[in-house]
Amino acid sequence: MSSTENTGSTNYLLGRIETKVDRIDEKLDHQGETLAGHAERLVAVERDIRELKLARANDQQQRDGGLSAMKVALVSAVTSSLIGGGFAVIQIVTKN
């Protein structure tokens, strides 16, 4: 084998290796872009989750506040009816 043939086959092999390395580089670039897109979506999902948690906490506070107000109203209504009923009994008893 002559040195020209060795140089030619070496150049051919180096060219094939370079082509394969270029393809790998392109695939890695594409995967990097894909990962960047996934990262953006993950950030958006995390933001949405934080907003949903905040909205849920606010709803919980409003619901708890509403239940407290209903309890106060119910206790007030029961108390006033007992007092009114007590006065009615006193009036009935004292009339006779």
Side-chain angles (χ1 to χ4, degrees), residues 52-64:
L52 288 171
K53 284 182 178 180
L54 181 62
R56 181 178 168 197
N58 289 338
D59 288 346
Q60 182 72 31
Q61 287 176 345
Q62 287 179 349
R63 186 173 54 108
D64 291 347

Side-chain angles (χ1 to χ4, degrees), residues 28-46:
L28 287 175
D29 285 344
H30 178 70
Q31 288 178 349
E33 292 170 5
T34 302
L35 288 174
H38 290 319
E40 289 175 11
R41 286 190 287 280
L42 284 173
V43 168
V45 167
E46 288 173 349

Side-chain angles (χ1 to χ4, degrees), residues 6-92:
N6 285 337
T7 304
S9 65
T10 303
N11 287 339
Y12 172 76
L13 292 174
L14 287 174
R16 288 193 54 176
I17 291 171
E18 186 177 345
T19 303
K20 288 182 180 185
V21 168
D22 287 343
R23 277 194 237 142
I24 291 171
D25 187 44
E26 288 173 11
K27 285 181 183 179
L28 287 175
D29 285 344
H30 178 70
Q31 288 178 349
E33 292 170 5
T34 302
L35 288 174
H38 290 319
E40 289 175 11
R41 286 190 287 280
L42 284 173
V43 168
V45 167
E46 288 173 349
R47 184 186 63 242
D48 291 345
I49 289 172
R50 280 193 302 273
E51 289 173 358
L52 288 171
K53 284 182 178 180
L54 181 62
R56 181 178 168 197
N58 289 338
D59 288 346
Q60 182 72 31
Q61 287 176 345
Q62 287 179 349
R63 186 173 54 108
D64 291 347
L67 288 175
S68 295
M70 281 183 23
K71 287 178 186 175
V72 168
L74 183 62
V75 168
S76 297
V78 169
T79 303
S80 63
S81 66
L82 288 175
I83 292 172
F87 283 129
V89 169
I90 291 172
Q91 286 180 352
I92 292 172

